[in-house]
C-alpha cells in the first residue's frame, strides 16, 4: 500500500481493541486487557488520541470550580489515562504524530512514530499501530502495539 493510499485509508475515527507492550518476551497491558480509547485522523492532517483504563475510580469529592483538589486522586487519574493531539504525516508505512498538546508533558513538541498496517475492509477494518517497524527487534526493545477498529 502506498503512503497516499494509507493516508487516505486511516482518515476517520477508530476505537481501541487492545493496547499492549512487549519487552524481553513479556507482554504487559498498561491500562488492563480491556483498555478503551479513541483515535481520530482528520482529512486536514490533525490527529487526536485518547486511551484509558476501563475502570477508573471517581474522585471521593468533586474538584472545586478551579479544578483544584486532592493531588493524590488527580495523580491516580492521570496515571490511568493518556491523551494527545497534533498533526500527522504518513511516509510509507510510518505515521508520524507531531504532538502539539499532551496530558504527558514530555510528549508535547515531540514526534511519536508509529508503523501502521491495515487488515480487513469496511466496518470490519482494523488498524495496527506499533512503535517499531515490523521485523526482528532486540529483546530489550520496548514495543507498544495498539489495535483499533473503525468506530
Amino acid at each position: 500500500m502506498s503512503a497516499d493510499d494509507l493516508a487516505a485509508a486511516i482518515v476517520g475515527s477508530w476505537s481501541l481493541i487492545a493496547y499492549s507492550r512487549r519487552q524481553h518476551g513479556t507482554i504487559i497491558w498498561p491500562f488492563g486487557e480491556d483498555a478503551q480509547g479513541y483515535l481520530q485522523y482528520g482529512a486536514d492532517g490533525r490527529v487526536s488520541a485518547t486511551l484509558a483504563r476501563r475502570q477508573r475510580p471517581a474522585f471521593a469529592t468533586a474538584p472545586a470550580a478551579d479544578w483544584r483538589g486532592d493531588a493524590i486522586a488527580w495523580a491516580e487519574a492521570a496515571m490511568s489515562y493518556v491523551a494527545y493531539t497534533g498533526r500527522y504525516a504518513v511516509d510509507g508505512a510510518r505515521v508520524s504524530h507531531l504532538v502539539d498538546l499532551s496530558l504527558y508533558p514530555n510528549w508535547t513538541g515531540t514526534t511519536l512514530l508509529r508503523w501502521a498496517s491495515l487488515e480487513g475492509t469496511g466496518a470490519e477494518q482494523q488498524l495496527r499501530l506499533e512503535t517499531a517497524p515490523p521485523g526482528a527487534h532486540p529483546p530489550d526493545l520496548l514495543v507498544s502495539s495498539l489495535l483499533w477498529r473503525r468506530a
Side-chain angles (χ1 to χ4, degrees):
M1 176 177 285
S2 74
D4 288 342
D5 290 342
L6 178 61
I10 64 174
V11 169
S13 297
W14 299 87
S15 177
L16 186 68
I17 298 171
Y19 165 40
S20 64
R21 301 174 94 184
R22 65 184 180 278
Q23 185 177 35
H24 297 293
T26 301
I27 296 176
I28 62 167
W29 305 90
F31 292 152
E33 291 185 45
D34 62 346
Q36 57 189 355
Y38 291 96
L39 174 66
Q40 284 84 34
Y41 286 110
D44 62 352
R46 304 286 308 167
V47 63
S48 179
T50 304
L51 292 92
R53 180 175 296 282
R54 186 166 298 276
Q55 300 300 323
R56 300 175 71 224
F59 291 162
T61 57
D66 62 1
W67 291 91
R68 296 184 190 270
D70 181 336
I72 292 172
W74 276 106
E76 288 175 359
M79 290 174 50
S80 63
Y81 189 90
V82 66
Y84 66 87
T85 188
R87 295 159 287 121
Y88 73 94
V90 178
D91 180 15
R94 187 178 70 195
V95 182
S96 300
H97 293 180
L98 299 97
V99 180
D100 293 331
L101 299 169
S102 176
L103 175 67
Y104 180 60
N106 295 29
W107 282 355
T108 299
T110 68
T111 300
L112 305 177
L113 299 178
R114 305 290 183 254
W115 279 263
S117 60
L118 287 164
E119 302 166 9
T121 59
E124 301 300 315
Q125 190 170 46
Q126 295 182 348
L127 170 65
R128 181 176 304 278
L129 297 175
E130 295 202 334
T131 57
H137 304 113
D140 62 332
L141 181 65
L142 178 64
V143 178
S144 294
S145 180
L146 299 106
L147 184 62
W148 306 89
R149 73 172 143 253
R150 288 262 176 216

